[in-house]
Amino acid sequence: AGTAGQKLSFDGTDLTSSGNNTVKWRLIDPYGRQEGSLNSLDSGSSSFTTKANGQYLLVVEGAQGNTAQVDYSFTLSKVNDIDTAMPLDQVVNSSGTLPYQLANYHFTLDADTTAVFDSLAGTSYQWSLTGPLGQVINARQPASYDADNALQLAAGSYTLTVSSTSSNGSGSYAFRLLTSASAQTLNPSEAIDATLFRSTGQTIYKVVLQQGDRLHLDSQPPAGGTVRWRLLDPYGVSIDNGRLGDGADPFSAPVDGEYWLVVGGDAGEV
């Protein structure tokens, strides 16, 4: 028997026949109505969500033009999504999601917050973020270095959802959602010699500037790999970026406030 809202996956990839024959499958709800489309059994895996309570029928049928016996196999599995609380500024480690499974991480902000998503491991997943004002991020992959603006999040409850970009599941992954609590204080003209938390991770430095302050970032090439940087203004907007070791032009602070210098490794580094 089915339950309304239950997510299931259908995997039918094994089809054997002596001729050019086809087999399809469809789902019949408790009221005798077809839910969804007529699907080829050998088209790979797919998922669906039942709409009603009661007994469903899964009908497997050969095409009218088949001329020989067809052997087939499939697997119908329940997909149970993951729901868990997520602490900010701490590493979330996961062994991965199953095909079509969603991992929902929930957190609440008591005040408006600036945040940076920090991808630490895994490339076969994407993440989305919804909150009190609706969709913030939709299906963003962590494979490319994020040189964009920081997340400007209003107070309220949020859900960060991880899903797989592969039919085999996401594989293991790790990430953090960094806020000002993770930022290290940086003083102008102070030399920094540090190591990234992980090869693809990010570190935030915060510095208070006055409008018109003119600065220059002087950096040396890292010892192995590529390390990028971006400068965020007090509103979380990226106003400059580059790679450590490359030349950088001087810049002037457009407004008073706390600026973030975000330093991070390329996602391709290991």
Side-chain angles (χ1 to χ4, degrees):
T3 302
Q6 174 66 60
K7 186 191 299 184
L8 299 106
S9 67
F10 182 94
D11 187 8
T13 58
D14 191 3
L15 190 67
T16 305
S17 176
S18 59
N20 186 22
N21 301 297
T22 60
V23 174
K24 296 183 179 294
W25 69 273
R26 55 194 173 102
L27 191 68
I28 307 298
D29 73 10
Y31 305 103
R33 301 171 301 194
Q34 179 174 309
E35 277 193 13
S37 305
L38 185 64
N39 308 279
S40 295
L41 190 137
D42 60 348
S43 61
S45 60
S46 60
S47 70
F48 59 90
T49 301
T50 54
K51 299 178 181 179
N53 296 323
Q55 180 172 288
Y56 277 76
L57 298 178
L58 193 151
V59 180
V60 177
E61 54 192 40
Q64 291 294 320
N66 286 355
T67 59
Q69 175 177 303
V70 182
D71 297 322
Y72 65 88
S73 64
F74 67 84
T75 303
L76 183 67
S77 304
K78 287 185 177 181
V79 179
N80 296 313
D81 293 337
I82 299 169
D83 285 277
T84 186
M86 186 186 81
L88 298 176
D89 299 290
Q90 296 186 30
V91 178
V92 174
N93 286 297
S94 174
S95 58
T97 60
L98 300 172
Y100 306 107
Q101 185 181 48
L102 301 178
N104 298 307
Y105 299 95
H106 307 285
F107 63 94
T108 299
L109 300 176
D110 295 329
D112 295 353
T113 301
T114 300
V116 170
F117 183 86
D118 186 20
S119 175
L120 300 172
T123 57
S124 297
Y125 76 94
Q126 58 189 11
W127 64 281
S128 302
L129 183 65
T130 57
L133 302 181
Q135 189 91 50
V136 180
I137 297 293
N138 182 31
R140 178 177 292 181
Q141 296 188 34
S144 58
Y145 177 78
D146 185 0
D148 294 332
N149 303 335
L151 301 171
Q152 295 294 99
L153 306 178
S157 297
Y158 288 81
T159 298
L160 191 154
T161 300
V162 172
S163 60
S164 171
T165 57
S166 167
S167 60
N168 296 321
S170 70
S172 61
Y173 60 83
F175 67 87
R176 299 182 294 181
L177 194 62
L178 301 177
T179 69
S180 181
S182 295
Q184 303 176 35
T185 300
L186 174 66
N187 298 309
S189 302
E190 177 186 3
I192 299 296
D193 186 4
T195 301
L196 290 174
F197 172 65
R198 295 194 189 179
S199 59
T200 62
Q202 300 181 64
T203 300
I204 300 174
Y205 297 94
K206 58 184 177 182
V207 57
V208 176
L209 301 176
Q210 302 296 317
Q211 182 180 18
D213 281 352
R214 191 161 175 80
L215 299 100
H216 173 257
L217 180 65
D218 184 19
S219 63
Q220 301 297 319
T226 300
V227 177
R228 298 181 181 271
W229 63 270
R230 71 187 192 272
L231 185 67
L232 306 178
D233 71 11
Y235 306 104
V237 177
S238 178
I239 60 174
D240 204 355
N241 66 83
R243 294 186 302 181
L244 292 185
D246 290 351
D249 294 330
F251 55 86
S252 298
V255 295
D256 297 347
E258 182 180 274
Y259 288 72
W260 285 7
L261 179 66
V262 183
V263 179
D266 269 347
E269 304 294 343
V270 294

